[in-house]
Amino acid sequence: MATIEEFLKEHKIDEVECLVPDMAGIARGKILPASKFIKGMRGNGLRIPEGVFVQTVNGDYPPAAYEGKIVSPASQDVYLRPDVSTIRVVPWYEEPTAQIICDAYLFDGDPVEISARHVLKRVLDLYEKKGWKPVVAPELEFYLVDVNTDPDYPLEPPIGRSGRRETSRQAYGLDAVNEFDPLFEDVYDFCDAQGIDVDTLTHEAGAAQIEMNFNHGDPLLLADQAFLFKRTVREAGLRHQVYATFMAKPMQDEPGSSMHIHQSLFSSKTKRNVFSQSKGKDTKLFMNHIAGLQKFLPAVMPLLGPNVNSYRRLVPDLDAPINTHWGYDNRTVGLRVPHSDPASRRVENRLAGADANPYLAIAASLACGLIGMEQGLTPLPPIEGSAYR
């Protein structure tokens, strides 16, 4: 409590944004004066309806969510408990404003089981009981598009510094990225101010399609960063009269946008990567993990592709997988094992779309791999050549 109060005082914070990711990964919550935030935090006064956690991407509430007792038919309140480690100054506001990610609890003290952050925490607890520490690194793709206030009109790439609209594909094009240098300077500045540990920026295959890679780390920390990053990029775009979209397939004739999840596993005791032997040979656990992903990812696809639009991305020959085959350094498979040294041995889950909730996508991917290891599953042989066949 004192830490948060000291933070607010040190940064002269006037308002606080209490953020909680909903099922679609959209930021919900409350904005309130700093003094009222402190008061609410002390007495479980930061309340929202439980139904927020079944709200769809367009704001609807599916009847089955209430009929099936997923949430209370009375749409009861739950309270938000701020996570002290996530408090940050919001860098794009003129007035000093803080944001903090919250966990949701029922008034009997139990967590809201379907809250995305709690789902990921439960999976990480299962790994901890095994003496393992997962490490992940997301890669998020998105499109920059012209301001479009009429949803009946198709999206178009924006006009860059040259005054021309990008109409062709410029994969890894440096000049194409430089068209939007002022925007990305704001993105990097905003990320730095919020402690979002982004790494490489590249131009992807689509017109004005960008990929941002995150440095590897703790899954909950990285999910928090991916959650905040989406909001950050959208805000930076608005400052430059550009929209940023994380739809899986925003434009029919362009490649879709993904959220690739690199995942590796370390021993909590030895701190060594349990997916690789010291001389670089794959371990049995690594094969079990891949086999779990192969077998169970189809069952959790709604968490990796949550919208109808998500499945328009999964077509052959447009940089997206169409199956759960695996292979070494093969970008046509759903599960790619990149070249790496033994300490960095990992598998890249390429199935998730950019529209997925990062907490749920990471949780689902790690859970599938864990079951594979627990059951000692064996994967199919690795694919050589194109998996699109």
Side-chain angles (χ1 to χ4, degrees):
M1 181 73 71
T3 305
I4 292 180
E5 291 187 16
E6 290 168 2
F7 181 94
L8 299 179
K9 184 177 180 180
E10 178 186 349
H11 293 89
K12 299 180 172 60
I13 298 298
D14 293 327
E15 288 187 331
V16 179
E17 296 181 336
C18 300
L19 310 179
V20 58
D22 71 1
M23 198 71 72
I26 295 170
R28 309 286 181 183
K30 291 188 171 184
I31 305 172
L32 61 167
S35 59
K36 291 190 175 181
F37 165 77
I38 293 171
K39 182 180 178 180
M41 184 174 59
R42 285 174 174 157
N44 296 342
L46 304 174
R47 304 179 183 184
I48 59 171
E50 187 185 18
V52 160
F53 294 101
V54 292
Q55 198 169 4
T56 66
V57 70
N58 59 2
D60 290 335
Y61 293 91
Y66 293 93
E67 295 168 1
K69 299 182 180 179
I70 298 172
V71 295
S72 165
S75 191
Q76 66 185 12
D77 272 350
V78 298
Y79 71 91
L80 303 180
R81 185 182 296 172
D83 183 335
V84 179
S85 67
T86 68
I87 193 166
R88 296 163 165 88
V89 174
V90 184
W92 50 81
Y93 292 143
E94 292 184 6
E95 294 295 324
T97 303
Q99 62 183 352
I100 189 165
I101 301 174
C102 302
D103 292 306
Y105 288 83
L106 303 172
F107 282 90
D108 63 6
D110 290 338
V112 176
E113 289 192 350
I114 63 170
S115 63
R117 212 163 182 261
H118 177 67
V119 171
L120 177 55
K121 284 183 176 182
R122 285 180 61 190
V123 173
L124 296 179
D125 284 344
L126 295 174
Y127 272 92
E128 185 176 359
K129 290 174 182 176
K130 296 283 187 181
W132 294 327
K133 175 66 177 174
V135 171
V136 303
E139 298 174 348
L140 262 174
E141 296 174 343
F142 57 93
Y143 274 92
L144 300 178
V145 298
D146 246 347
V147 170
N148 184 330
T149 57
D150 189 336
D152 289 334
Y153 282 82
L155 299 177
E156 290 185 308
I159 295 173
R161 292 188 309 163
S162 67
R164 299 181 64 184
R165 195 182 308 278
E166 184 180 327
T167 56
S168 60
R169 297 176 183 173
Q170 301 292 333
Y172 296 93
L174 297 181
D175 292 338
V177 171
N178 291 339
E179 285 283 291
F180 305 100
D181 266 351
L183 189 157
F184 291 121
E185 286 172 7
D186 279 349
V187 169
Y188 273 110
D189 288 344
F190 289 165
C191 286
D192 185 58
Q194 297 173 91
I196 299 175
D197 193 14
V198 292
D199 186 17
T200 308
L201 170 73
T202 56
H203 195 294
E204 269 298 329
Q209 185 187 29
I210 307 298
E211 178 180 278
M212 183 70 79
N213 297 342
F214 293 74
N215 287 313
H216 64 275
D218 174 78
L220 182 62
L221 176 65
L222 268 297
D224 283 342
Q225 292 187 11
F227 169 59
L228 294 175
F229 176 77
K230 289 185 177 184
R231 193 169 184 238
T232 298
V233 172
R234 292 188 185 106
E235 181 63 33
L238 291 175
R239 292 167 69 97
H240 296 272
Q241 290 75 54
V242 170
Y243 285 168
T245 175
F246 290 86
M247 285 181 67
K249 188 78 167 180
M251 288 180 274
Q252 182 175 348
D253 297 324
E254 297 291 339
S257 292
S258 66
M259 180 173 59
H260 297 159
I261 302 169
H262 292 252
Q263 53 197 70
S264 55
L265 188 60
F266 289 76
S267 165
S268 301
K269 185 176 181 179
T270 67
K271 313 300 182 186
R272 296 187 63 177
N273 191 331
V274 300
F275 283 169
S276 177
Q277 298 179 12
S278 58
K279 294 184 178 180
K281 187 176 180 181
D282 298 333
T283 62
K284 186 174 184 295
L285 274 178
F286 189 36
M287 293 296 101
N288 299 154
H289 193 88
I290 290 174
L293 291 168
Q294 279 197 309
K295 182 172 182 178
F296 297 110
L297 279 176
V300 298
M301 273 306 294
L303 303 182
L304 308 181
N307 305 299
V308 173
N309 178 266
S310 308
Y311 298 88
R312 295 177 181 144
R313 165 181 160 257
L314 302 175
V315 294
D317 303 316
L318 279 176
D319 296 326
I322 59 170
N323 51 51
T324 57
H325 286 302
W326 75 282
Y328 293 99
D329 197 23
N330 188 333
R331 285 185 168 83
T332 69
V333 296
L335 303 167
R336 171 177 172 256
V337 177
H339 287 305
S340 67
D341 58 38
S344 303
R345 184 61 42 82
R346 63 195 185 276
V347 59
E348 175 191 13
N349 179 354
R350 298 173 59 82
L351 293 175
D355 56 342
N357 179 318
Y359 300 94
L360 297 179
I362 292 171
S365 192
L366 290 176
C368 292
L370 177 62
I371 298 171
M373 292 187 292
E374 289 179 336
Q375 296 184 0
L377 301 181
T378 301
L380 297 172
I383 292 290
E384 297 182 4
S386 174
Y388 292 137
R389 69 183 187 270

